[in-house]
Amino acid sequence: MTNFVPTPTVPAPDIVRCAYLELVVTDLAKSREFYVDLLGLHVTEEDEDTIYLRSFEEFIHHNLVLRKGPVAAAAAFAYRVKSPAEVDAAEAYYRELGCRVERRKDGFTKGVGDSVRVEDPLGFPYEFFYDVEHVERLTQRYDLYSAGELVRLDHFNQVTPDVPRGRAYLEDLGFRVSEDIKDSDGVTYAAWMHRKQTVHDTALTGGNGPRLHHIAFSTHEKHNIIQICDKMGALRISDRIERGPGRHGVSNAFYLYILDPDGHRIEIYTQDYYTGDPDNPTVTWDVHDNQRRDWWGNPVVPSWYTEASLVLDLDGNPQPVIIREEKSEMAVTVGADGFSYTRQPDGGPAGEKMGFKVGSQL
């Protein structure tokens, strides 16, 4: 579909985890109501143009930056690396790839020092940093703990037209694949990729891109997610609940998807699994398995497949969106062809559970 991404001869930066997302929002006051008053993220610092937010267990300056601007979009997907030398490695790696690279010794945001931002081969604005300002970790500040407390940044999800190309690029960057979705023709619809020892730090969803599908924050328990639903109902904003609550097949996590005032999608997420062993298997799901996206078999709303946020180049302009040429997951599973199933039809006695996943299993 698209050009192959070459593997640089220099080492890839050693990435620890996804660390923060910079979002451009069009109404900072409305966004503050959503992220602070509704979701309870903690304000580290703010001014008339920018709000820096962190989750309950975070000790670096922020996990989310809300910056006022004319076009709602994602400005940076930021990863923390293992040492200051790895920032040098990131710069060298992307320069060899031929990507646009910008480095700022004082960082691009408050609370973060020497950083590299790139327009990566998929068109996403990636950032790599090590130096940070430490702030109070609120882990035992139960006087501040809300019933729907968001405790950690868990992952990003990126929409890209060519998932295999993106997967190869991220594997070269040191990510490992925990799960993916394919069909019997070999089409890959999505892949979940991690650096920390969970299911993912980012995921690739096949679709028109580059775009941000969502950012996800973790809670401690399922009841925290249910509280967020109850709170949104009480505030008469239940129309901002897009999907869930439910349990994913992929990742096994309990989930909720909600939309902020600009339409940026936020996932609230809990209870996935450990992936840190070197031989952790990749779980491959058949795209026609009704339980891959929702373990209970609930349908996915079309907007979840089609809507996503623009991403910006390093000048702050929206990246052009490229149309996916391969089959879309929505087209082959949302009432389009009748092939989706929980148990394979005609596979045996009525009600017999048949194997419906492709590939290795946990």
Side-chain angles (χ1 to χ4, degrees):
M1 177 183 293
T2 49
N3 294 331
F4 173 72
V5 178
T7 301
T9 60
V10 297
D14 191 348
I15 297 168
V16 175
R17 61 173 173 126
C18 63
Y20 81 85
L21 182 74
E22 182 179 345
L23 272 184
V24 179
V25 298
T26 58
D27 189 320
L28 199 59
K30 287 184 178 179
S31 293
R32 193 185 197 283
E33 288 178 0
F34 180 86
Y35 288 100
V36 179
D37 299 341
L38 172 65
L39 293 182
L41 285 170
H42 300 274
V43 178
T44 302
E45 197 170 344
E46 61 184 322
D47 56 38
E48 61 182 10
D49 296 316
T50 312
I51 305 175
Y52 298 89
L53 302 171
R54 71 185 191 277
S55 54
F56 191 67
E57 296 181 357
E58 187 57 77
F59 71 95
I60 70 172
H61 188 268
H62 54 264
N63 298 130
L64 181 64
V65 179
L66 304 176
R67 177 165 56 81
K68 185 178 179 181
V71 178
F77 299 69
Y79 295 91
R80 196 169 192 204
V81 295
K82 198 169 186 178
S83 72
E86 300 304 323
V87 180
D88 298 330
E91 180 178 17
Y93 188 85
Y94 281 94
R95 289 197 186 282
E96 187 169 326
L97 273 178
C99 297
R100 183 178 173 188
V101 177
E102 183 175 345
R103 185 165 185 173
R104 293 186 186 176
K105 292 294 185 179
D106 295 329
F108 294 84
T109 63
K110 290 184 178 181
V112 175
D114 185 18
S115 307
V116 167
R117 281 193 180 181
V118 306
E119 294 174 13
D120 83 354
L122 307 183
F124 289 93
Y126 265 23
E127 177 179 315
F128 304 91
F129 70 92
Y130 175 77
D131 292 328
V132 293
E133 176 184 334
H134 288 180
V135 294
E136 180 187 6
R137 176 177 265 160
L138 302 172
T139 309
Q140 293 182 321
R141 287 295 308 275
Y142 293 111
D143 55 316
L144 302 178
Y145 190 94
S146 71
E149 191 71 33
L150 306 185
V151 295
R152 288 181 293 277
L153 170 63
D154 191 82
H155 63 265
F156 310 131
N157 188 305
Q158 306 170 228
V159 186
T160 187
D162 189 338
V163 175
R165 177 176 183 257
R167 175 177 180 159
Y169 151 63
L170 288 176
E171 286 182 308
D172 285 344
L173 194 54
F175 286 78
R176 295 172 59 197
V177 180
S178 57
E179 306 202 22
D180 58 18
I181 296 175
K182 296 182 178 181
D183 66 16
S184 58
D185 295 328
V187 176
T188 301
Y189 297 85
W192 284 255
M193 311 191 72
H194 67 95
R195 287 294 300 175
K196 65 182 186 307
Q197 297 178 345
T198 64
V199 172
H200 54 323
D201 286 89
T202 196
L204 299 176
T205 293
N208 303 337
R211 294 183 296 166
L212 165 69
H213 191 274
H214 64 264
I215 179 176
F217 288 91
S218 292
T219 62
H220 280 142
E221 301 288 348
K222 298 188 295 292
H223 66 76
N224 302 119
I225 292 177
I226 293 169
Q227 163 61 18
I228 293 170
C229 294
D230 282 340
K231 188 173 182 179
M232 293 181 74
L235 294 171
R236 292 289 179 174
I237 54 172
S238 60
D239 59 314
R240 307 306 290 170
I241 297 174
E242 184 187 32
R243 276 189 67 196
R247 185 176 293 282
H248 285 308
V250 176
S251 82
N252 194 54
F254 200 81
Y255 73 87
L256 173 71
Y257 293 97
I258 59 179
L259 302 174
D260 85 353
D262 283 294
H264 295 309
R265 182 181 290 108
I266 311 301
E267 182 181 17
I268 317 300
Y269 179 97
T270 192
Q271 300 179 343
D272 62 351
Y273 59 88
Y274 169 78
T275 59
D277 281 16
D279 56 351
N280 184 72
T282 298
V283 178
T284 296
W285 294 74
D286 186 330
V287 73
H288 297 296
D289 181 354
N290 270 338
Q291 295 183 239
R292 73 197 184 285
R293 292 291 190 181
D294 185 281
W295 185 241
W296 307 336
N298 291 320
V300 180
V301 294
S303 63
W304 194 89
Y305 286 120
T306 60
E307 300 301 319
S309 300
L310 296 172
V311 302
L312 303 180
D313 64 20
L314 297 187
D315 294 320
N317 301 311
Q319 290 278 30
V321 174
I322 300 168
I323 304 301
R324 176 177 168 89
E325 297 176 1
E326 290 188 295
K327 294 181 287 187
S328 75
E329 186 175 348
M330 184 179 77
V332 301
T333 60
V334 181
D337 59 10
F339 291 146
S340 295
Y341 50 78
T342 299
R343 293 173 297 278
Q344 284 184 336
D346 304 322
E352 180 179 338
K353 293 182 179 179
M354 304 298 296
F356 52 72
K357 294 180 189 175
V358 184
S360 59
Q361 305 297 297
L362 286 174

